[in-house]
Amino acid sequence: GRTVAELATAGNGGVRLHAIGTGVVTRDYAWPDACLTASWSPDGRVLASGMQDGSVHYWNIAAGNQSQMRGYGSRVQLTSWNAAGRLLATAAAEQIVVWDFSGRGPEGTEPLQLAAHTARLTQLAFQPVGQLLAAGGRDHRLSLWRPTANAEPLDADLLGDELALLRWSPDGRQLLAADRGGVLSLYSVES
């Protein structure tokens, strides 16, 4: 059968998938609370969402099942997959939680918890090529992590204001950070 390209929309009541081109709702993944963020795994098999109720909910589209991870102290507003689709980074408040989706998946496993920020995180982005994770928040701090190697940041920098935007170059060698004051900072990343 032909595969239909789908767009996910998140909001109150869960996630809906729409056929691109027609807008027809192809699947409706209901959840009783507001969905704040949603992101596809790189292979398109898993859709992960951060929820208002302090959980991460994910739908394994390929297998047709769903699950959730609870225990966050506040709403989950950020999600980011690494390029291999093995790791899902999530953020609630000032802590980053990384789930391993390799093997049987994250159920029953302990996530990696990364803590270096003192205020709510506003941005989270895995490198498009490589293993690095960039994060930043209201504490004006930009941090760089290699979550598969250790739970301490590789590097950090203080910006002049709250972090508003993080974008990697397509080759993963440069990282652009913008703060709320409008200052842009470009970082070169060594391999």
Side-chain angles (χ1 to χ4, degrees), residues 11-12 31-37 49-56 70 72-77:
N12 287 333
W31 192 249
D33 214 335
C35 178
L36 304 176
T37 180
S49 60
M51 308 305 280
Q52 178 76 27
D53 66 4
S55 69
V56 172
R70 292 196 160 279
Y72 293 85
S74 66
R75 61 186 183 235
V76 181
Q77 292 186 289

Side-chain angles (χ1 to χ4, degrees), residues 6-11 14-18 26-30 35 37-51 56-69 79-81 85 88 90 101 106:
E6 295 172 306
L7 171 72
T9 59
V15 177
R16 285 195 169 132
L17 302 185
H18 306 265
T26 56
R27 289 178 254 195
D28 190 4
Y29 297 109
C35 178
T37 180
S39 58
W40 289 100
S41 63
D43 63 7
R45 296 173 58 92
V46 178
L47 178 62
S49 60
M51 308 305 280
V56 172
H57 201 89
Y58 72 90
W59 291 271
N60 186 326
I61 306 300
N65 59 25
Q66 59 183 311
S67 191
Q68 69 177 331
M69 288 83 80
T79 55
S80 180
W81 290 92
L88 173 67
T90 63
F101 273 75

Side-chain angles (χ1 to χ4, degrees), residues 3-191:
T3 302
V4 175
E6 295 172 306
L7 171 72
T9 59
N12 287 333
V15 177
R16 285 195 169 132
L17 302 185
H18 306 265
I20 293 178
T22 66
V24 172
V25 174
T26 56
R27 289 178 254 195
D28 190 4
Y29 297 109
W31 192 249
D33 214 335
C35 178
L36 304 176
T37 180
S39 58
W40 289 100
S41 63
D43 63 7
R45 296 173 58 92
V46 178
L47 178 62
S49 60
M51 308 305 280
Q52 178 76 27
D53 66 4
S55 69
V56 172
H57 201 89
Y58 72 90
W59 291 271
N60 186 326
I61 306 300
N65 59 25
Q66 59 183 311
S67 191
Q68 69 177 331
M69 288 83 80
R70 292 196 160 279
Y72 293 85
S74 66
R75 61 186 183 235
V76 181
Q77 292 186 289
L78 302 170
T79 55
S80 180
W81 290 92
N82 76 335
R86 178 182 160 224
L87 302 177
L88 173 67
T90 63
E94 66 276 351
Q95 190 168 38
I96 302 166
V97 178
V98 181
W99 296 94
D100 190 341
F101 273 75
S102 65
R104 300 180 129 195
E107 292 95 343
T109 65
E110 278 295 316
L112 178 62
Q113 297 185 37
L114 308 175
H117 290 268
T118 58
R120 178 172 288 284
L121 289 159
T122 57
Q123 296 290 310
L124 190 64
F126 263 111
Q127 190 178 31
V129 178
Q131 298 296 316
L132 299 179
L133 174 66
R138 292 182 178 167
D139 60 0
H140 304 198
R141 183 177 303 207
L142 170 64
S143 59
L144 191 63
W145 308 80
R146 182 173 284 120
T148 55
N150 59 34
E152 296 296 323
L154 298 173
D155 203 354
D157 196 15
L158 284 178
L159 304 176
D161 203 345
E162 173 182 331
L163 192 68
L165 176 77
L166 274 179
R167 292 294 184 268
W168 287 97
S169 63
D171 64 4
R173 292 183 180 172
Q174 293 182 314
L175 178 64
L176 176 71
D179 70 23
R180 291 260 181 239
V183 176
L184 299 175
S185 301
L186 184 64
Y187 299 88
S188 292
V189 179
E190 302 284 327
S191 57

